[in-house]
């Protein structure tokens, strides 16, 4: 069970989250997000993977950010093409492509990206780009028949551990935790995260 905690930017908070044995820590490089990272945090993960989240950003900007922050993964939340995903993978970067899901037909868009992404991320369909705090019907994901493993995002909270553990799909790889664990945008409640991660990693 991969656990990704997204929307981080405070050095000490990042260090405490990493100590919970999370697998991936996400940094949002989308200026309209309340969790936008505009400067290098005082601490960056050393054992957890570093994921940069972008929305329709130019490839050169993504590549520069990868170098500056030492990113291991790039998560793309916009209308980025398969060729952008492939270009990043050729540079040794793991790619997570996000898709908004509200009905089974939304999963058809994944077909173009099969083979050029390391993970998909299925999130709640909203007017923005993630971080809504709302969940979607995970039953829709039973219609996903692709080969790329996926993470589930969107409104997962402390009381959802059993729901996550009970979910079954051959490509289900893990979860993305964000807004339901925040004290304020970009600052996570360590005790709440500890409780759910302990259950998910048991």
């Amino acid at each position: 069970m991969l656990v990704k905690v997204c929307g981080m930017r405070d050095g000490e908070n990042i260090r405490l989250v990493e100590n919970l044995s999370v697998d991936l820590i996400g940094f949002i490089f989308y200026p309209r997000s309340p969790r936008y990272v505009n400067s290098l945090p005082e601490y960056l993960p050393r054992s957890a993977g570093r994921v940069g989240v972008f929305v329709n950003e130019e490839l050169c900007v993504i590549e520069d950010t990868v170098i500056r922050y030492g990113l291991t993964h790039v998560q793309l939340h916009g209308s980025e093409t398969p060729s952008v995903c492939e270009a990043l993978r050729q540079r040794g970067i793991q790619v997570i492509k996000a898709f908004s899901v509200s009905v089974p037909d939304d999963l058809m868009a994944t077909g173009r990206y099969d083979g050029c992404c390391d993970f998909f991320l299925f999130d709640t369909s909203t007017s923005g780009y993630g971080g809504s705090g709302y969940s979607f019907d995970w039953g829709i994901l039973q219609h996903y028949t692709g080969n790329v493993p996926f993470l589930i995002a969107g409104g997962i909270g402390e009381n959802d551990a059993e729901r996550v553990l009970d979910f079954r799909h051959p490509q289900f790889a893990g979860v993305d935790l964000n807004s339901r664990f925040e004290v304020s945008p970009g600052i996570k409640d360590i005790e709440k995260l500890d409780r759910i991660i302990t259950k998910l990693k048991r």
Side-chain angles (χ1 to χ4, degrees), residues 58-79:
E58 293 183 12
L59 184 59
C60 62
V61 174
I62 296 175
E63 291 173 335
D64 287 346
T65 307
V66 166
I67 294 169
R68 185 179 178 204
Y69 287 81
L71 301 179
T72 57
H73 299 65
V74 164
Q75 182 173 311
L76 303 173
H77 262 268
S79 55

Side-chain angles (χ1 to χ4, degrees), residues 1-2 9 15-16 31 40 60 95 120 148 160 174 192:
M1 174 76 66
L2 285 174
R9 61 184 177 191
R15 185 184 66 79
L16 292 172
L40 202 67
C60 62
V95 175
F120 292 149
V148 179
D160 290 318
K192 282 186 176 181

Side-chain angles (χ1 to χ4, degrees), residues 26-79:
F27 303 91
I28 297 177
F29 298 102
Y30 177 55
R32 296 183 184 178
S33 170
R35 304 167 188 89
Y36 174 56
V37 177
N38 59 7
S39 61
L40 202 67
E42 293 180 3
Y43 178 88
L44 286 169
R46 297 171 185 174
S47 57
R50 304 177 187 181
V51 184
V53 180
F54 301 88
V55 179
N56 297 324
E57 187 57 86
E58 293 183 12
L59 184 59
C60 62
V61 174
I62 296 175
E63 291 173 335
D64 287 346
T65 307
V66 166
I67 294 169
R68 185 179 178 204
Y69 287 81
L71 301 179
T72 57
H73 299 65
V74 164
Q75 182 173 311
L76 303 173
H77 262 268
S79 55

Side-chain angles (χ1 to χ4, degrees), residues 13-171:
N13 202 229
I14 293 167
R15 185 184 66 79
L16 292 172
V17 167
E18 183 177 39
N19 286 344
L20 301 178
S21 298
V22 301
D23 302 286
L24 301 168
I25 292 179
F27 303 91
I28 297 177
F29 298 102
Y30 177 55
R32 296 183 184 178
S33 170
R35 304 167 188 89
Y36 174 56
V37 177
N38 59 7
S39 61
L40 202 67
E42 293 180 3
Y43 178 88
L44 286 169
R46 297 171 185 174
S47 57
R50 304 177 187 181
V51 184
V53 180
F54 301 88
V55 179
N56 297 324
E57 187 57 86
E58 293 183 12
L59 184 59
C60 62
V61 174
I62 296 175
E63 291 173 335
D64 287 346
T65 307
V66 166
I67 294 169
R68 185 179 178 204
Y69 287 81
L71 301 179
T72 57
H73 299 65
V74 164
Q75 182 173 311
L76 303 173
H77 262 268
S79 55
E80 299 87 1
T81 63
S83 62
V84 168
C85 299
E86 190 58 47
L88 289 166
R89 289 186 85 200
Q90 288 176 357
R91 289 159 175 77
I93 303 160
Q94 292 201 51
V95 175
I96 304 169
K97 182 71 182 78
F99 297 89
S100 296
V101 177
S102 61
V103 295
D105 282 354
D106 291 332
L107 299 171
M108 293 177 63
T110 63
R112 297 172 57 218
Y113 296 85
D114 206 331
C116 63
C117 294
D118 297 277
F119 295 96
F120 292 149
L121 182 141
F122 296 131
D123 200 355
T124 307
S125 183
T126 67
S127 59
Y129 296 98
S132 68
Y134 294 101
S135 185
F136 67 95
D137 177 7
W138 297 355
I140 293 171
L141 300 180
Q142 299 306 329
H143 295 271
Y144 173 66
T145 58
N147 299 309
V148 179
F150 64 83
L151 305 175
I152 296 177
I156 300 173
E158 182 183 353
N159 297 324
D160 290 318
E162 294 305 321
R163 182 185 176 206
V164 172
L165 292 170
D166 289 343
F167 181 77
R168 295 288 183 271
H169 190 288
Q171 299 297 351

